[in-house]
Amino acid sequence: MDIPALFHESEQKICRAANLRELEEVRIALLGKKGQLTGLLRSLAELPLQERKHLGADLNGLRENIQILLAERQRTLEEEETTQGLAREGIDITLPGIPPLRGRRHVLLETVEEIEDAFLRLGFDIVEGPEVEWDYYNFEALNMPAEHPARDMWDTFYITERMLLRTHTSPVQIRCMEETPPPIRAIMPGLVARHEALDSTHMDVFFQIEGLVVDKGISFANLKGILDLFVAMIFGSERKTMFVPSYFPFTEPSAELMISCGVCGGSGCQTCGHGGGWLEVLGCGQVHPQVLRNVGIDPEAFTGFAFGLGAERVAMLKYNIPDIRLFAENDLRFLEQF
Ligand code: FA5
């Protein structure tokens, strides 16, 4: 029996199998129950012992080699079929994948939480109030009775004649003082709305954080001390601050806190506008005695200070953002920078 010829013949059949189905047919023809090699192995029994031993070893070696060839051919054909399948479906597995978009926290929310953390470290509590407010809390209790001209500064959207979208977080001061007797040391974050013409520093819905301290012997010096500390904590000690006299019906005396503009460095630009190198971030002052009386606190016994800051303005100054409208536009090119 010519074993090498048999191997060569089997090898050619295996190589010629053009797909997995044909290869299976070749395997059955060689190694199946009625296969060529199986028949030869079976016929060994009829040979004399010496010859059987000799030929048996050769035939078993041949079978092992054929099995190796079959396995190799099977692997090649499987790979070919996968590639052809992908090509048929138009899939190119060598192209880079499309990475899924990863979300991130909004820069404004990050700033609000940073401000909250700063005040928590200074010993303040966090108190919240409603965004839809009564006229009484938004205006009247804050020393602005009906027809008071200062109401014009905080024109808003009315739900009914007495119910409105709050124009500042100051009404939460009143709610806080009504519920808690002094000493009070709290901040009150939240959204506010105004009937406002939009520009690079003005939105009609924006985020304020109110601050209120009421206790015995609280003075304007305490207010300045706390706000200077706050500015240093958020911006670092190199940013300059300036207190400018101002007017609010619910504080006396009143001031606005300006911070030097990081976009232009102080020469004046679109961001600080007519501020000429300064951007206003908050209004503040000592709580007006009449406001304390409105909530039943004796102004002879207790004094306090309050402030209300715009969170967008703080974020603009911190990250040199030139236009406040960017916060609400949802433009990924802007949001991805933070
Ligand atoms: C007030 O809202 C007062 N309630 C602040 C206050 C609280 C004074 C307690 C005294 C005591 P004003 O309208 O100036 O004040 O707004 C306060 C801050 O909110 C501003 O300094 C500014 O940072 C921000 N702000 C005001 N209007 C807008 C607006 N249209 N868009 C974005 N931020 C604004």
Side-chain angles (χ1 to χ4, degrees), residues 153-154 167-170 173 194 196 201-204 206 208 210-211 248 250-251 255-256 280-285 306-313 324:
M153 296 199 290
W154 291 288
T167 51
H168 47 181
T169 40
S170 299
Q173 281 187 42
R194 286 187 194 180
E196 184 100 72
T201 51
H202 292 87
M203 293 282 284
D204 48 5
F206 60 99
Q208 277 197 339
E210 193 83 7
F248 299 101
F250 35 93
T251 47
E256 261 156 16
E280 173 207 322
V281 284
L282 61 83
C284 59
F307 58 86
L309 65 82
E312 286 86 352
R313 300 268 181 98
I324 198 169

Side-chain angles (χ1 to χ4, degrees), residues 264-305:
C264 63
S267 53
C269 66
Q270 189 200 356
T271 306
C272 50
H274 32 261
W278 298 91
L279 195 70
E280 173 207 322
V281 284
L282 61 83
C284 59
Q286 284 215 259
V287 181
H288 196 290
Q290 185 56 42
V291 173
L292 292 175
R293 262 182 237 113
N294 289 346
V295 291
I297 295 178
D298 178 3
E300 298 300 323
F302 291 99
T303 49
F305 68 75

Side-chain angles (χ1 to χ4, degrees), residues 54-65:
H54 190 65
L55 196 59
D58 283 355
L59 281 177
N60 274 325
L62 177 64
R63 185 175 57 182
E64 272 170 31
N65 284 332

Side-chain angles (χ1 to χ4, degrees), residues 31-265:
L31 303 179
K33 261 192 203 157
K34 294 180 189 156
Q36 191 183 3
L37 204 59
T38 319
L40 287 173
L41 280 162
R42 226 179 257 140
S43 66
L44 283 176
E46 293 152 20
L47 296 176
L49 180 65
Q50 205 49 31
E51 223 176 308
R52 193 194 313 165
K53 258 190 178 173
H54 190 65
L55 196 59
D58 283 355
L59 281 177
N60 274 325
L62 177 64
R63 185 175 57 182
E64 272 170 31
N65 284 332
I66 288 178
Q67 279 172 334
I68 292 172
L69 285 180
L70 281 167
E72 275 175 7
R73 184 71 186 144
Q74 181 175 351
R75 212 175 309 128
T76 312
L77 288 173
E78 276 173 357
E79 274 171 20
E80 275 177 23
E81 289 200 359
T82 311
T83 318
Q84 283 163 6
L86 290 175
R88 238 190 343 268
E89 290 167 30
I91 298 170
D92 180 354
I93 54 167
T94 61
L95 284 175
I98 302 166
L101 278 181
R102 289 183 69 185
R104 67 186 74 199
R105 283 149 61 78
H106 195 282
V107 58
L108 183 60
L109 186 63
E110 292 276 355
T111 308
V112 167
E113 288 191 0
E114 211 178 312
I115 297 170
E116 288 177 352
D117 279 350
F119 281 109
L120 285 173
R121 277 160 61 199
L122 293 170
F124 283 67
D125 295 324
I126 298 182
V127 177
E128 287 189 352
E131 287 169 12
V132 177
E133 193 47 285
W134 296 109
D135 177 284
Y136 173 76
Y137 287 101
N138 197 72
F139 291 124
E140 225 164 294
L142 288 165
N143 229 3
M144 282 178 278
E147 316 301 333
H148 193 294
R151 285 186 176 217
D152 283 352
M153 296 199 290
W154 291 288
D155 193 13
T156 184
F157 305 94
Y158 283 82
I159 312 287
T160 67
E161 212 178 310
R162 311 298 299 161
M163 195 194 276
L164 43 83
L165 296 187
R166 67 179 176 192
T167 51
H168 47 181
T169 40
S170 299
V172 195
Q173 281 187 42
I174 304 295
R175 290 180 176 274
C176 186
M177 287 188 283
E178 277 181 351
E179 277 164 29
T180 320
I184 296 170
R185 195 190 302 201
I187 55 165
M188 300 143 230
L191 282 178
V192 303
R194 286 187 194 180
H195 183 204
E196 184 100 72
L198 304 189
D199 62 23
S200 63
T201 51
H202 292 87
M203 293 282 284
D204 48 5
V205 176
F206 60 99
F207 207 98
Q208 277 197 339
I209 299 181
E210 193 83 7
L212 175 69
V213 173
V214 182
D215 203 348
K216 290 196 168 113
I218 296 292
S219 72
F220 203 89
N222 298 123
L223 166 64
K224 282 193 76 174
I226 285 284
L227 289 181
D228 275 341
L229 259 179
F230 158 72
V231 172
M233 285 164 89
I234 295 292
F235 297 101
S237 41
E238 61 286 348
R239 273 291 169 81
K240 291 194 215 93
T241 58
M242 174 163 70
F243 284 84
V244 179
S246 184
Y247 166 74
F248 299 101
F250 35 93
T251 47
E252 183 59 37
S254 305
E256 261 156 16
L257 177 66
M258 318 284 278
I259 298 186
S260 55
C261 175
V263 176
C264 63

